């Protein structure tokens, strides 16, 4: 009987598989990789005698986790909103900034004016930072174009980033992010354009993996959101939703009705919304960076999510207005300190549950045979250290499809 030969053999690592728990690591173990997938793993003494590989990596006792997944970002945009940051520090609310012509529409102006090349260059810098902190899969939303041409431009830039860099990019069409200036006072007419023009064209071009909307009193009503979701369903696209961030609009229940992959933010969701999400299998994506940046005081109902067994994911929400950050491990610390999640819950939130929030649980988010060899090697002793240290970067190695790339 011949001994196996692998593409890569990682030895002497302590594995955090991120199955049902991420609170402890295995004894010294190995992971064998072939064709970009995990072929075998187990305690070091169980490695088949004579097993060989084209390359080997000695983990020297470091911690091995799945590659991190940032399942909610607005990474592609132009400019920044530092001035609005100053306004909020002076007492202006999120709603007041938006109504004064700032907020999302401010970034829309800058993004529309930017060329695709300029957008790519600016967004690439943010993407590289995510990768340096262990991200191997990232979701990128549109939503700063708010016209057919500019939404397509954003999605094309997002796709191009995934082709240029060793990271898997998933794209989400968020045309229903805000009402553009040319449709001021005519929100329903803009929704008409979304459902008859923007969604069909994005689907035809294969640029969107999902459709999102912002269901809020300063954005789109539940009835308007329903129209967007119906159009997404007609074009075979799954949905996600910015829900219950500033108020309870019943968005979580609406998302669940459409079998949404996730409902995101959720600071103001009630138990009926949580129960609906549980029944639909909709993931709660929590965004502690935005909560922190906006100095919010109403945390999402973690106890209800636990009670109803709603999976909780965590993401950076990287965006210029409310969460200008690219450090996903820092979000673990924020989720623990601000939301009182456990370090184990937080780590599952950027691995297994984040994969589920993107509809990718079948291929990544855990360390198991047959899954993608997207992996991170960390210079820490215990998994909890990834959430404990504020802003540290203990990443030793990052593997994408079984290939190690420079940090």
């Amino acid at each position: 009987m011949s001994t196996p030969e692998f593409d890569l053999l990682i030895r002497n690592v302590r594995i955090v598989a991120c199955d049902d728990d991420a609170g402890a690591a295995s004894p010294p173990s190995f992971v064998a990789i072939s064709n970009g997938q995990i072929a075998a793993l187990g305690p070091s003494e169980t490695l088949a005698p004579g097993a060989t590989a084209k390359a080997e990596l000695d983990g020297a006792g470091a911690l091995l986790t799945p590659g991190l997944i940032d399942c909610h970002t607005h990474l592609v945009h132009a400019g920044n909103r530092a001035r609005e940051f100053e306004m909020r520090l002076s007492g202006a609310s999120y709603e007041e900034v938006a109504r004064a012509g700032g907020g999302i529409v401010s970034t829309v102006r800058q993004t529309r004016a930017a060329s695709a090349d300029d957008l790519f260059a600016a967004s690439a810098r943010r993407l590289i930072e995510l990768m340096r902190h262990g991200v191997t899969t990232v979701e990128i939303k549109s939503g700063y174009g708010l016209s057919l041409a500019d939404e397509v431009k954003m999605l094309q830039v997002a796709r191009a980033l995934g082709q240029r860099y060793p990271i898997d990019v998933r794209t989400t069409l968020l045309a229903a992010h805000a009402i553009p200036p040319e449709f001021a006072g005519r929100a329903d007419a803009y929704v008409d354009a979304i459902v008859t023009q923007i969604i069909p064209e994005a689907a035809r071009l294969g640029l969107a993996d999902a459709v999102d909307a912002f269901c809020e009193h300063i954005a789109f009503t539940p009835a308007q959101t329903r129209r967007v979701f119906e159009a997404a369903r007609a074009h075979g696209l799954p949905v996600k939703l910015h829900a219950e961030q500033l108020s309870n609009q019943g968005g979580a229940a609406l998302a669940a009705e459409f079998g949404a992959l996730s409902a995101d933010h959720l600071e103001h969701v009630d138990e009926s919304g949580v129960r609906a999400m549980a029944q639909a299998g909709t993931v709660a994506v929590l965004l502690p960076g935005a909560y922190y940046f906006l100095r919010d005081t109403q945390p999402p109902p973690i106890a209800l999510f636990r009670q109803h067994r709603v999976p909780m994911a965590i993401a950076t929400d990287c965006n210029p207005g409310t969460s200008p950050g690219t450090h996903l491990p820092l979000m673990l610390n924020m989720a623990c300190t601000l939301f009182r999640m456990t370090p184990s819950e937080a780590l599952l939130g950027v691995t297994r549950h984040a994969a589920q929030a993107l509809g990718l649980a079948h291929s990544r988010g855990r360390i198991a045979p047959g899954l993608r060899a997207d992996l991170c090697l960390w210079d820490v002793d215990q998994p909890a250290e990834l959430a404990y240290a504020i802003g540290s970067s203990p990443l030793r190695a990052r593997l994408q499809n079984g290939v190690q790339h420079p940090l």
Side-chain angles (χ1 to χ4, degrees):
M1 184 176 180
S2 61
T3 56
E5 181 179 33
F6 305 107
D7 293 332
L8 176 65
L9 185 58
I10 306 175
R11 297 180 181 269
N12 192 22
V13 290
R14 293 173 301 114
I15 298 172
V16 184
C18 293
D19 286 320
D20 293 326
D21 181 73
S26 72
S29 299
F30 76 92
V31 175
I33 297 167
S34 292
N35 300 317
Q37 294 186 333
I38 299 168
L41 72 156
S44 297
E45 63 270 17
T46 66
L47 179 63
T52 60
K54 298 172 184 175
E56 293 197 9
L57 175 62
D58 185 357
L63 209 69
L64 189 75
T65 71
L68 305 189
I69 300 169
D70 196 348
C71 63
H72 180 131
T73 84
H74 305 256
L75 192 89
V76 172
H77 63 264
N80 68 71
R81 305 221 297 267
R83 175 59 187 140
E84 294 174 21
F85 176 58
E86 293 181 288
M87 291 173 62
R88 283 197 301 274
L89 291 176
S90 298
S93 70
Y94 184 87
E95 295 94 329
E96 288 168 342
V97 169
R99 288 175 178 142
I104 293 167
V105 175
S106 172
T107 300
V108 170
R109 289 193 295 269
Q110 298 174 83
T111 302
R112 285 181 172 182
S115 69
D117 288 344
D118 288 342
L119 270 182
F120 182 95
S123 302
R125 291 191 289 271
R126 293 183 281 269
L127 186 69
I128 290 168
E129 285 299 311
L130 284 178
M131 293 164 59
R132 286 175 177 163
H133 295 303
V135 175
T136 55
T137 298
V138 60
E139 184 250 24
I140 300 178
K141 303 179 189 294
S142 65
Y144 295 129
L146 308 188
S147 70
L148 176 58
D150 291 298
E151 288 291 294
V152 166
K153 177 177 70 173
M154 290 188 68
L155 293 172
Q156 288 173 332
V157 168
R159 287 282 199 234
L161 289 167
Q163 293 164 0
R164 169 64 178 82
Y165 294 97
I167 187 169
D168 189 19
V169 171
R170 310 297 291 183
T171 56
T172 298
L173 175 65
L174 181 56
H177 196 194
I179 300 164
E182 61 270 24
F183 282 93
R186 299 187 299 123
D188 286 334
Y190 178 55
V191 173
D192 288 341
I194 292 172
V195 303
T196 64
Q197 300 174 35
I198 300 177
I199 290 176
E201 184 66 0
R204 185 186 72 81
L205 295 172
L207 289 174
D209 298 310
V211 170
D212 197 349
F214 186 16
C215 184
E216 191 54 74
H217 59 84
I218 63 169
F220 295 90
T221 67
Q224 290 164 342
T225 301
R226 177 179 293 277
R227 292 186 59 204
V228 172
F229 281 3
E230 288 171 346
R233 175 185 283 172
H235 288 86
L237 293 171
V239 298
K240 306 165 69 69
L241 188 63
H242 287 61
E244 271 73 277
Q245 180 185 9
L246 306 174
S247 62
N248 188 346
Q249 299 289 310
L254 177 62
E257 179 186 337
F258 281 82
L261 294 172
S262 70
D264 303 25
H265 286 289
L266 297 170
E267 284 86 346
H268 293 269
V269 70
D270 58 18
E271 186 165 10
S272 64
V274 174
R275 189 180 299 111
M277 290 174 62
Q279 293 171 348
T282 297
V283 177
V285 176
L286 309 180
L287 305 170
Y291 178 92
Y292 162 83
F293 200 77
L294 292 173
R295 297 188 296 173
D296 203 346
T297 58
Q298 174 68 50
I302 303 301
L304 284 178
F305 295 139
R306 289 173 179 152
Q307 176 185 339
H308 293 281
R309 299 184 181 277
V310 174
M312 293 180 286
I314 298 169
T316 63
D317 193 16
C318 175
N319 77 77
T322 63
S323 190
T326 53
H327 197 313
L328 188 55
L330 176 59
M331 299 301 145
L332 306 189
N333 179 276
M334 288 187 178
C336 293
T337 57
L338 299 176
F339 298 163
R340 298 297 187 263
M341 293 176 70
T342 68
S344 175
E345 287 173 330
L347 184 52
L348 289 176
V350 294
T351 54
R352 177 177 182 168
H353 295 157
Q356 186 177 345
L358 296 179
L360 300 174
H362 62 285
S363 65
R364 68 203 72 185
R366 297 178 295 119
I367 299 178
L371 298 190
R372 283 169 55 119
D374 292 352
L375 303 167
C376 285
L377 196 61
W378 307 92
D379 285 320
V380 298
D381 292 326
Q382 300 296 328
E385 291 181 54
L386 296 175
Y388 156 77
I390 301 174
S392 68
S393 297
L395 184 65
R396 176 188 296 185
R398 173 186 170 280
L399 283 75
Q400 184 83 19
N401 282 325
V403 178
Q404 183 177 350
H405 295 277
L407 299 178

